[in-house]
Amino acid sequence: MRDAVTTLIKTYDITGRYLDRDAIDDLKAYFSSGMARVQAASAINANAADVVKQASAALFEEVPELLRPGGNAYTTRRYAACLRDMDYYLRYATYAIVAGATDVLDERVLQGLRETYNSLGVPIAPTVRGIQLMKDAAKALAADAGVADTSFVDVPFDHMTRELSEIDV
Ligand SMILES: CCC1=C(C)/C(=C/C2=NC(=C\c3[nH]c(/C=C4\NC(=O)[C@H](C)[C@H]4CC)c(C)c3CCC(=O)O)/C(CCC(=O)O)=C2C)NC1=O
């Protein structure tokens, strides 16, 4: 599991190079956005339960058949599994925000996930929709916490969306 700094160092170490101007620019960007990353993650953490609750409620309103007999989130057990998955996506997104890298998502969340979902019949499109709804909520929370440019908050959510659905967002 790597963050923005260790990823950069690894890249340069492989070829035995000193950090060049590009690397220094990347490092400056990472460190200068550090407080904003921590602020955003902290605002999301403090409201995580609400984010999951509201995003899932909005998702089930948009796709009500998920909760009906035959739907993948039908039965208490599967409903709970769905909310738990949403919570995983949100929590790991906050780790990736702090790390400034999506490595943690590839390693801990996305590996084998599509296959698992496909074998259990968990539909990808509404899952992706749920992730995007949480992204909107997370951005709003970061903005409320005083983060001026919240575009970095998009990155982990869009990464999970892209990897899950293999489509461009
Ligand atoms: C930390 C990394 C991690 C992830 C991401 C993860 C996901 C994950 N979600 C699962 C199931 C599931 N995931 C869902 C999710 C949904 N169903 C829907 O209709 C909705 C679209 C969606 C919620 C938004 C459901 C319902 C199940 C249970 C499916 C079943 O057992 O039939 C399973 C199968 C095993 C289990 O039930 O626990 C895994 C491994 N597990 C992990 O350890």
Side-chain angles (χ1 to χ4, degrees):
M1 190 163 38
R2 293 196 301 270
D3 60 24
V5 177
T6 48
T7 301
L8 190 81
I9 290 172
K10 186 175 179 221
T11 306
Y12 280 77
D13 185 35
I14 284 169
T15 47
R17 285 180 294 155
Y18 280 92
L19 299 173
D20 57 17
R21 183 182 291 268
D22 285 347
I24 299 299
D25 286 347
D26 284 354
L27 287 170
K28 279 185 185 157
Y30 173 69
F31 286 114
S32 66
S33 64
M35 270 322 294
R37 290 173 191 284
V38 172
Q39 258 176 312
S42 146
I44 298 165
N45 294 347
N47 296 280
D50 276 348
V51 171
V52 170
K53 203 166 130 189
Q54 282 165 26
S56 59
L59 174 65
F60 293 132
E61 212 173 287
E62 283 179 25
V63 196
E65 52 276 20
L66 290 172
L67 292 180
R68 297 198 186 119
N72 188 262
Y74 176 68
T75 76
T76 313
R77 182 187 68 79
R78 287 204 299 257
Y79 175 81
C82 178
L83 263 57
R84 178 212 56 197
D85 284 9
M86 299 264 289
D87 189 60
Y88 283 151
Y89 299 132
L90 186 64
R91 179 162 59 89
Y92 280 94
T94 66
Y95 296 164
I97 285 170
V98 170
T102 51
D103 203 70
V104 61
L105 302 175
D106 297 334
E107 233 172 78
R108 300 288 162 92
V109 179
L110 294 165
Q111 211 168 348
L113 186 60
R114 269 179 71 84
E115 293 71 19
T116 303
Y117 270 16
N118 287 339
S119 71
L120 290 170
V122 178
I124 304 278
T127 300
V128 160
R129 180 67 188 136
I131 291 172
Q132 291 294 318
L133 285 162
M134 292 199 292
K135 174 177 87 174
D136 296 342
K139 284 173 74 83
L141 285 166
D144 286 349
V147 174
D149 178 2
T150 62
S151 54
F152 66 84
V153 175
D154 296 21
V155 175
F157 297 97
D158 288 349
H159 182 78
M160 289 188 284
T161 293
R162 211 163 25 236
E163 294 297 312
L164 257 179
S165 52
E166 294 181 329
I167 53 148
D168 291 336
V169 287

